[in-house]
């Protein structure tokens, strides 16, 4: 059940005008501050940012703002020339400067697709993050319905992050919904072909963490062989989250 909760956690991980959102920011930004948890951010010019080695998040740039999505929060920066100034919780009052001999790889290969993803991510931010917080949505039936429709629409239109959240929503529904989660009365999960199909779709969209969540889903079903295969694939493709998921699974097995 621990891994069901891990997967459900995906869904609790979204006021600008003028120029269109893009994700072409590329470079290695570093800080001298010793008080931050995040000594660097490495942007790949294609919508993914290495968050100080903790894992990769999605990002977009709009006007002079850079919005980064780690696992379950949001970082907002103001950008001026070659400097990022933190402007939200966790990064506030800290500055990161572009390292001129940047080691950050530029992964931009399809400019049109990259811009489309950035604009979908901006739409995700605008529709899911600006008006209410994630916890409120879980307890408000109307808000949750609207959120689910938004996530489904954005997933259909090609936003991998939305598909990841839809993956978590589908699992939550399969084990009894939010009420079952709150009362710790989760149903034993049964293999759902639609969830597996969605996981494979996420992978086909180029999202490495599709392997991670699919591995955790297989683990929750008791299929450790498939779980380890997916986690290993994610790790081979550069995921740090997959290694953590596998480590926690092994520790869980050892404790039994």
């Amino acid at each position: 059940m621990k891994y069901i909760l891990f997967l459900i956690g995906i869904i609790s991980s979204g006021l600008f005008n003028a120029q269109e959102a893009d994700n072409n920011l590329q470079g290695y930004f570093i800080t001298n501050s010793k008080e931050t948890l995040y000594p660097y951010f490495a942007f790949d010019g294609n919508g993914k940012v290495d968050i100080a080695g903790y894992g990769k998040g999605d990002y977009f740039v709009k006007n002079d703002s850079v919005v980064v999505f780690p696992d379950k929060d949001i970082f907002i920066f103001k950008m001026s020339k070659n400097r990022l100034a933190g402007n939200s919780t966790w990064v506030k009052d800290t500055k990161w400067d572009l390292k001129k001999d940047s080691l950050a790889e530029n992964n931009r290969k399809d400019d049109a697709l990259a811009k489309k993803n950035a604009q979908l991510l901006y739409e995700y931010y605008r529709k899911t993050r600006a008006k209410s917080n994630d916890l409120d949505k879980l307890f408000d039936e109307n808000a949750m319905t609207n959120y689910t429709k938004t996530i489904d629409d954005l997933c259909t239109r090609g936003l991998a992050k939305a598909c990841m959240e839809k993956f978590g929503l589908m699992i939550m529904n399969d084990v009894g919904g939010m009420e079952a989660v709150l009362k710790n009365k989760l149903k034993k999960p049964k293999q759902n072909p639609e969830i597996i199909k969605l996981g494979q779709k996420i992978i086909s969209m180029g999202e490495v963490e599709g392997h991670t969540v699919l591995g955790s889903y297989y683990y929750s079903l008791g299929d450790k062989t498939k779980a380890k295969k997916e986690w290993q694939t994610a790790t081979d493709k550069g995921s740090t989250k997959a290694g953590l998921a596998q480590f926690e699974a092994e520790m869980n097995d050892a404790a039994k």
Side-chain angles (χ1 to χ4, degrees):
M1 290 307 176
K2 175 181 179 181
Y3 286 84
I4 290 296
L5 294 173
F6 165 77
L7 291 163
I8 290 171
I10 296 166
I11 70 170
S12 58
S13 29
L15 298 156
F16 314 89
N17 295 299
Q19 101 180 31
E20 289 187 334
D22 205 339
N23 51 23
N24 56 355
L25 178 63
Q26 189 266 332
Y28 186 90
F29 289 78
I30 190 168
T31 183
N32 292 322
S33 173
K34 295 182 180 180
E35 297 180 359
T36 180
L37 293 171
Y38 310 102
Y40 72 86
F41 291 91
F43 297 85
D44 75 346
N46 197 47
K48 288 292 184 180
V49 52
D50 177 357
I51 305 172
Y54 294 117
K56 292 184 179 179
D58 300 287
Y59 75 91
F60 69 84
V61 180
K62 184 130 170 97
N63 300 329
D64 64 345
S65 294
V66 180
V67 179
V68 172
F69 296 85
D71 276 344
K72 298 177 183 178
D73 208 327
I74 185 171
F75 301 156
I76 300 176
F77 305 88
K78 288 297 180 182
M79 183 168 60
S80 177
K81 294 184 178 179
N82 292 325
R83 169 171 287 183
L84 296 177
N87 197 36
S88 64
T89 306
W90 300 108
V91 295
K92 198 169 183 65
D93 300 326
T94 304
K95 295 179 174 61
W96 290 259
D97 292 305
L98 178 66
K99 190 176 180 181
K100 293 183 179 179
D101 55 341
S102 176
L103 299 176
E105 183 179 359
N106 192 320
N107 290 322
R108 200 175 187 89
K109 297 178 178 66
D110 186 326
D111 193 57
L113 179 60
K115 287 181 178 179
K116 175 188 174 183
N117 286 336
Q119 288 158 18
L120 287 174
L121 188 61
Y122 164 61
E123 186 176 341
Y124 165 90
Y125 169 82
R126 183 171 55 82
K127 290 183 175 179
T128 68
R129 302 298 301 231
K131 295 181 180 180
S132 63
N133 65 51
D134 295 328
L135 193 59
D136 286 343
K137 286 195 285 284
L138 295 175
F139 291 98
D140 184 322
E141 186 174 345
N142 289 333
M144 191 64 183
T145 298
N146 292 334
Y147 167 73
T148 301
K149 288 180 179 178
T150 295
I151 290 301
D152 187 60
D153 174 59
L154 289 171
C155 175
T156 300
R157 290 160 60 197
L159 183 63
K161 178 175 176 58
C163 292
M164 291 276 286
E165 297 193 13
K166 181 178 179 179
F167 191 91
L169 285 169
M170 290 177 70
I171 290 171
M172 183 170 70
N173 289 335
D174 265 17
V175 298
M178 192 61 200
E179 184 177 356
V181 174
L182 293 173
K183 293 182 178 180
N184 196 26
K185 293 184 178 180
L186 302 177
K187 298 177 182 177
K188 185 175 180 179
K190 295 181 180 179
Q191 183 167 306
N192 184 332
E194 291 304 311
I195 292 177
I196 294 174
K197 183 178 178 180
L198 179 58
Q200 292 169 342
K201 174 182 176 178
I202 294 168
I203 293 168
S204 72
M205 296 167 82
E207 176 54 68
V208 172
E209 303 305 341
H211 290 289
T212 304
V213 296
L214 191 54
S216 293
Y217 180 59
Y218 280 132
Y219 184 85
S220 73
L221 296 173
D223 194 334
K224 296 178 182 179
T225 300
K226 286 185 178 179
K228 291 179 180 179
K229 181 179 178 181
E230 293 294 341
W231 287 332
Q232 188 59 53
T233 301
T235 300
D236 291 344
K237 290 183 178 181
S239 171
T240 57
K241 297 174 185 176
L244 179 59
Q246 184 167 355
F247 174 75
E248 290 182 349
E250 291 171 352
M251 294 299 292
N252 181 62
D253 289 342
K256 289 181 179 179

